[in-house]
Amino acid sequence: MDCQNKEKNMDFCNCSYPGCPRKGLCCECLRYHLSNDQMPACFFPPEAEKTYDRSLKHYLSIKGCG
Ligand code: SF4
């Protein structure tokens, strides 16, 4: 994933959170969420993503590990 190619990255971004300046900037998005013990939107299926709960606990629960 090319972190500078915002337009191309948006083809793959499933984040529905409005107004985030990191949208399409995958390196910044990943760094932001990992530094908060979270996962970015693209790790979550649509219904889980819409809750905006990006926590590791939520991620593990949808993977059947929590
Ligand atoms: S996953 Fe988080 S950092 Fe990434 S675009 Fe969505 S709200 Fe922004």
Side-chain angles (χ1 to χ4, degrees):
M1 190 62 71
D2 182 348
C3 289
Q4 300 308 314
N5 198 339
K6 186 172 183 175
E7 192 174 317
K8 187 175 170 190
N9 291 344
M10 285 306 295
D11 290 345
F12 304 96
C13 182
N14 70 334
C15 182
S16 63
Y17 190 80
C20 178
R22 290 173 287 273
K23 217 171 267 193
L25 299 173
C26 302
C27 294
E28 291 185 22
C29 173
L30 189 58
R31 190 176 317 125
Y32 172 78
H33 282 294
L34 290 181
S35 71
N36 289 292
D37 292 328
Q38 298 172 342
M39 310 297 279
C42 52
F43 280 71
F44 294 90
E47 289 308 311
E49 189 282 325
K50 286 180 203 164
T51 68
Y52 302 145
D53 181 354
R54 312 273 194 243
S55 67
L56 287 175
K57 184 177 179 185
H58 187 209
Y59 175 74
L60 291 172
S61 75
I62 63 171
K63 292 295 180 184
C65 304

